[in-house]
Amino acid sequence: MAATTEPTVDNTATQTAAAKKKTKKVVADNSKYQGVEKVMPIALKSSHAKGRHAVAARDLVAGTLVAVEKAAAGIVRNQSFINLCHRCFGPVATKTQTRTKLDAAGKEVAGQKETVTVPSHSCGTCKMAAYCSEACAKQHAPEHTVQCAALAKCNAIAGAHGVQLETLRAVLALIGRRAVQGGEPELVGQGVGGEPEFAGQAVEAKATPYGCVLDLNSNRHYLKRSAIKQQQAALKEVLELVPEAARVSLSEAVELACIFTTNQHQIAVGGSQMLGLYPFSALYFAHSCNPNCVYVGEVGGAMYIRTIADVSADAELTVSYADLFQPREQRRRDLLLSRHFWCKCRRCSQALSQSVDRLMDGIQCTSCHRGVMIFEETKEVQDINELMTDISALDQEIQGKFAECESCAAQIEVTHLVDVLKAAITDYSAAHMSMQQGQLERARVQLERFVLNYEDRRVLSPYNAYLINAYTALIRVCTQLNDVDRAIRYNTIVVERMLGPDSESMPPVPAHYPQLAEYQMSLGDMCLKQAKKKAGNRTPAGRSVSRRYLREAKASLEAAYKSRVIIHGENSPRAVEARRLLESAKKEHDEFVKATTDKKKPKKPEPVAAPAAAPAPVAAPATSTSSA
């Protein structure tokens, strides 16, 4: 976890190694947060080795809700700016309007008009806050008044100093919340800025108080001095625009920026994204690359944490802050740079030769074409400060080293393996660029050539992350090209690879992993649609295709529904959507089976009637003659 997985190390220039050893570790006090134990089946713990952490208070089944939290402060992500309310994080109604066209610099172009989509309710002063209603805008006014003038200038300030716009907006959100809640240190714990109130469901939950934000580690000492200076210059300008009564010191503003960057959670609300600071969850749910819990967002910006596997009593509850279908070193580097800790979870600590991670960046042996080349990569990091100041030390580890095949013991220089991966990255990047430029047919050709060159010719392991990236891109491209049969084929491959080979004791991702569930859902949806589309083909071949698609739709949607119930809850919109599609697939499948079964049943022969007696001969009528 960002704040607690690794012990904090002071990085002052004058500190000696001996002084580091003498630093006392303080066991954190959990009393502020223990109210959660009354409403959730968890217990809060604190130790020298693990810091703060949560454990199961009893045996828990997969899908058990273990935490609900509303953000102490949050912001709508830049790309979702007009889609979510900046107070309640609910959906925003929009409208179109015509205005003078703006150039890339935001200046008006004389004589040109453009039609743009804008929120129905927004701040007319800063134009940087959207709301779902006038009521929400009024309720947010005390906080927004503190931020408004600074928000109006934030875009320009961020660009001038090379800092993230979202970081400046997050600091302003925290300052606004502090001003409303009375976040002075002497007031924390007394009244509105004090202890959090926990609830068993989001509708009853209240936002975590600002005072809890100060319990989080900022990890400021891990940042480069140049980055700190950039933040200081930008935040100095921002603070000058904040009303004096709500203003914080420059040092505290930088601290808030570091806290938010290190501890933030990205939450999906509908189809939009927000960044929130959830102090309780950040403090007590540590990171693992084989997690037994998952955090998800719901409408309103609340964060739920549920178990995704059965958990024994007293077992630690963990979540993941990394994309799990990545090479081990990539996961570790991402966590180091974003959350400032070097992952030492069970999966990352296992010998690479015995872990499924060897396949994530696996390169096939050119001698036997069966095994992958193994290199036990980087040494275990003991001093994060040293690594943060020189992350190139990880690359220096491979110089002069050899990788060995897991099957035939053939050896090859690690630098050669790196060159192979670099070539793969270059080829994949070219295809990705074609996708971004809208050249879909060209992208499809490039991606399929990538699969041919690196999988069919046995260069990369079938479970290599770059191959999976290529297949996921092919799903999108083929879907947009309306080549659904190909999209289904590639989607099937992605699902199979994410589940991992049966021989591995620990799969690449948990069985009920959000990303896996979404691929199962999309696979089931496409198969169901194709089965309906091809239902008119009455030939044996056509019926065979329909039968296969219906069978795959049913199996995929059953898996997706089960996972969505565990991850999101039985009555969540996502679970309801999966259940609706599953019921449709079952109905189509049953009707198809019934129709084909009826056709195969031999018809009962109709009873043959006894032959009727021959009728008596009829006498010919007498003919009369007449004379002329």
Side-chain angles (χ1 to χ4, degrees), residues 5 73 78 99 116 132 153 169 212 227 269 279 361 373 400 439 450 481 556 558 589 628:
T5 300
N78 292 339
R99 70 179 186 189
V116 295
C132 61
K153 302 289 184 182
R169 291 176 51 220
C212 297
V269 182
D361 60 354
M373 306 305 294
Q439 301 175 356
F450 181 92
L481 290 172
S556 296
E558 282 175 344
H589 181 268

Side-chain angles (χ1 to χ4, degrees), residues 352-373:
L352 190 63
S353 58
Q354 302 170 17
S355 170
V356 71
D357 283 339
R358 74 188 188 283
L359 305 176
M360 300 296 97
D361 60 354
I363 295 177
Q364 298 272 46
C365 174
T366 55
S367 297
C368 69
H369 297 292
R370 294 192 309 273
V372 295
M373 306 305 294

